[in-house]
Amino acid sequence: MEFLTNDKLTIVGAAGMIGSNMVQTALMMGLTNDICLYDVFSPEGVAEEMRQSGFGDVKITATTDAKEAFTNAKYIISSGGAPRKEGMTREDLLKGNCEIAEGLGKNIKQYCPDVKHVVIIFNPADLTGLVTLLYSGLKPGQVTTLAGLDTTRLQSALAKKFNVMQSEIEGCATYGGHGEQMAVFGSHVKIDGRKLTDIIGTPEFPAEEWEQMKKDVTQGGAAIIKLRGRSSFQSPAYLSVEMIRAAMGGEAFRFPVGTYVKTDKYDHIMMAMATTLDKDGAHFTVPQGTPEENAKLDQSYEHLCKMRDELVTLNIVPPISEWNKINPNL
């Protein structure tokens, strides 16, 4: 079997539903012949299933030891936080999961400081990604967070509405935070070649229906919990592996990612921007939409800043003025 790379990929939280799906997806995509499964709960059962699936050309290891898991790792995907349950928001997970992110960042700095790329998907992903980046000492473009899931929720909702393939929905994007404060951009969307803005407000797609769709997209994670009785696991697993594939030099990632942003307007924050993700890491530009969309992006940023500042109050991160002492790249 031909692989994209021979570098070690470590999947954190591999004993869980998201993690185990990530392992299988990475193997099926042929990303690398060296995959390490890491979890505080033994992931050996997942490793055995993968071996028994017949992936014969791959070294699959499973461990609960951080040193073994991270040493020589060149790529990392982490779902290693507490899952969201019904009635919870992503923000409800802030303290506990950001403490886990702090430990992850420190493990990276200690055992694999030359790691090439890290993808963080455990919630609230914008903050856990920010904390991981801070304590890892990595460069901003080397740590990204899952934001594409919000965009695919918008894309799929529009595809169902207009009875077309998702590939016929172009220009879909959500920006800002991965949560109910996200900014849904519709001004660049085309439906089978037609501008969405020309359809909104017509009998085919009344403005009220569009507003409800945007609200439903921002609450897409909660809807999955109600439908399945548990938080999403297949979609975040697949998209996060697509992200790491792009970082390995494979097919370009199709959707926005959460990335570290430091501009005159948006400062010291992790949020979804208009991005490209490739073997050189994440690169972003600030998206421009309608005045209403831009204002929503500003609101999302302010919401993220409040959570970031709460982490200072909780003593999980120091004041921003001291971040450069921990990570000179910031």
Side-chain angles (χ1 to χ4, degrees), residues 17 30 55 61 76 79 105 120 132 158 177 180 197 227-228 256 290 298 328:
M17 290 300 292
F55 295 107
T61 57
I76 297 170
S79 65
I120 302 295
T132 301
L158 288 168
E180 295 182 11
T197 51
L227 287 168
R228 304 196 69 175
T290 64
D298 293 345

Side-chain angles (χ1 to χ4, degrees), residues 115-137:
V115 69
K116 296 178 182 179
H117 201 84
V118 179
V119 172
I120 302 295
I121 70 171
F122 60 104
N123 284 313
D126 308 289
L127 281 302
T128 56
L130 184 64
V131 173
T132 301
L133 173 62
L134 174 64
Y135 287 104
S136 68

Side-chain angles (χ1 to χ4, degrees), residues 135-287:
Y135 287 104
S136 68
L138 296 175
K139 296 177 181 178
Q142 291 181 276
V143 178
T144 53
T145 63
L146 180 65
L149 183 53
D150 302 315
T151 293
T152 57
R153 285 171 176 160
L154 174 61
Q155 185 188 62
S156 64
L158 288 168
K160 286 189 293 183
K161 164 65 183 175
F162 293 98
N163 194 30
V164 298
M165 301 289 285
Q166 283 186 225
S167 60
E168 296 176 84
I169 309 294
E170 301 176 90
C172 263
T174 64
Y175 299 115
H178 176 56
E180 295 182 11
Q181 302 297 321
M182 73 182 73
V184 179
F185 276 48
S187 57
H188 304 298
V189 175
K190 289 185 179 180
I191 313 291
D192 193 20
R194 296 188 296 160
K195 291 183 178 180
L196 179 61
T197 51
D198 291 340
I199 306 173
I200 296 172
T202 69
E204 184 180 8
F205 196 29
E208 305 80 39
E209 189 175 350
W210 167 236
E211 291 303 314
Q212 184 61 50
M213 180 180 289
K214 289 192 290 184
K215 182 179 179 181
D216 291 343
V217 166
T218 66
Q219 298 176 353
I224 291 293
I225 293 172
K226 288 183 179 179
L227 287 168
R228 304 196 69 175
R230 57 166 303 125
S231 60
S232 300
F233 62 93
Q234 288 169 303
S235 50
Y238 185 82
L239 290 169
S240 61
V241 174
E242 274 204 351
M243 289 171 67
I244 211 71
R245 178 178 65 183
M248 288 174 169
E251 185 178 342
F253 189 64
R254 302 168 287 160
F255 306 112
V257 304
T259 188
Y260 183 74
V261 178
K262 187 178 180 181
T263 69
D264 292 340
K265 189 173 186 180
Y266 307 117
D267 190 31
H268 286 84
I269 206 70
M270 185 81 74
M271 59 193 290
M273 293 274 100
T275 54
T276 58
L277 176 60
D278 56 30
K279 62 182 178 60
D280 295 318
H283 318 272
F284 77 90
T285 58
V286 177

